[in-house]
Amino acid sequence: MYRNFWKRFFDLVLSGLAIVILSPLFLILCLWIKLDSKGPVLFRQKRIGRYRTTFEIMKFRTMRIDTPHDVPTHLLKNPEQWITRAGRILRKTSLDELPQLLQIFTGKMAIVGPRPALWNQDDLVAEREKYGANDVRPGLTGLAQVNGRDVLSIEDKAELDGMYAAHVTLRTDLTCLWKTVVAVLTRKGFQEGEHANEHRTEDE
């Protein structure tokens, strides 16, 4: 019952409330990004969604517009040179992820679920397939994000995502949300640039 109805209901209600409450912050961040560097406010990138379909994820732009596209940060030469001044703060605080609330509201994502892989992360997608993790909506946060995040191998990430797919419960979601708050405040498991795990899928 929770998996098939209440989870989506809570995603819709909570994301809607968050969008309304955080709208002033959205406006401030949009202005900051626009004044800080040339380029659009939002960064869009092709990602893998539920049932291996593709969609464009949205984030606040944290890198220069001439940054090589679809290249993980750790593969860039001197990645710090591509990150904007505003972007450094946005990435450290995970505020760059806020636009995904809109995608949760529209049903492309969930609050909790496997983080959507890059369109070319075939190894991660294939590994998740073994555990049925591609059959749930991708999330803003998930078990892998609160249990190691960037320091995990692809195999470990996929296994954790599979554990979530097999146990989609209110208790699991609430636990993930609480641990996400702690992880963001402590930056636990977060690594950037040349220090990031070689399997990290995020390039923004």
Side-chain angles (χ1 to χ4, degrees):
M1 184 67 173
Y2 176 75
R3 176 195 288 263
N4 296 324
F5 176 77
W6 288 111
K7 178 176 174 63
R8 176 61 192 145
F9 175 78
F10 289 141
D11 281 345
L12 185 64
V13 171
L14 293 177
S15 61
L17 287 173
I19 290 169
V20 173
I21 294 171
L22 297 175
S23 55
L25 178 59
F26 270 74
L27 179 59
I28 292 171
L29 293 179
C30 287
L31 290 173
W32 185 23
I33 294 167
K34 202 65 181 176
L35 292 172
D36 183 60
S37 62
K38 294 180 181 179
V41 169
L42 294 178
F43 167 81
R44 299 172 182 269
Q45 186 181 60
K46 188 177 176 183
R47 293 292 179 103
I48 303 298
R50 192 181 188 187
Y51 303 131
R52 302 181 73 165
T53 57
T54 59
F55 73 103
E56 278 196 332
I57 199 171
M58 295 191 304
K59 299 186 178 187
F60 282 127
R61 182 175 58 83
T62 62
M63 305 185 84
R64 289 164 31 190
I65 57 175
D66 56 341
T67 304
H69 199 60
D70 287 331
V71 179
T73 306
H74 72 277
L75 293 181
L76 294 172
K77 185 176 181 180
N78 187 18
E80 289 294 330
Q81 71 173 318
W82 303 104
I83 301 175
T84 65
R85 288 170 297 182
R88 290 188 178 90
I89 303 299
L90 293 174
R91 291 165 77 95
K92 287 179 180 179
T93 57
S94 294
L95 289 173
D96 59 319
E97 310 283 357
L98 286 181
Q100 288 160 53
L101 288 170
L102 298 170
Q103 298 186 291
I104 294 170
F105 188 78
T106 58
K108 292 181 179 178
M109 293 180 63
I111 294 176
V112 180
R115 282 296 293 165
L118 283 167
W119 64 271
N120 56 2
Q121 288 287 312
D122 297 331
D123 47 359
L124 177 58
V125 174
E127 196 68 24
R128 282 176 170 173
E129 192 69 20
K130 298 177 182 178
Y131 301 99
N134 293 318
D135 296 335
V136 296
R137 283 190 180 90
L140 183 64
T141 186
L143 279 183
Q145 279 59 53
V146 299
N147 286 284
R149 192 175 172 177
D150 300 332
V151 299
L152 294 175
S153 67
I154 281 179
E155 293 76 15
D156 289 339
K157 283 182 180 179
E159 185 173 359
L160 285 166
D161 291 334
M163 288 174 59
Y164 177 77
H167 301 91
V168 180
T169 65
L170 176 60
R171 181 177 180 179
T172 303
D173 281 2
L174 290 176
T175 299
C176 278
L177 287 174
W178 167 247
K179 289 186 176 180
T180 296
V181 173
V182 174
V184 169
L185 293 176
T186 62
R187 301 192 71 211
K188 183 179 180 181
F190 177 84
Q191 293 186 343
E192 187 70 275
E194 62 183 355
H195 301 295
N197 181 281
E198 63 181 19
H199 300 301
R200 184 177 179 181
T201 62
E202 307 282 344
D203 74 336
E204 259 283 328

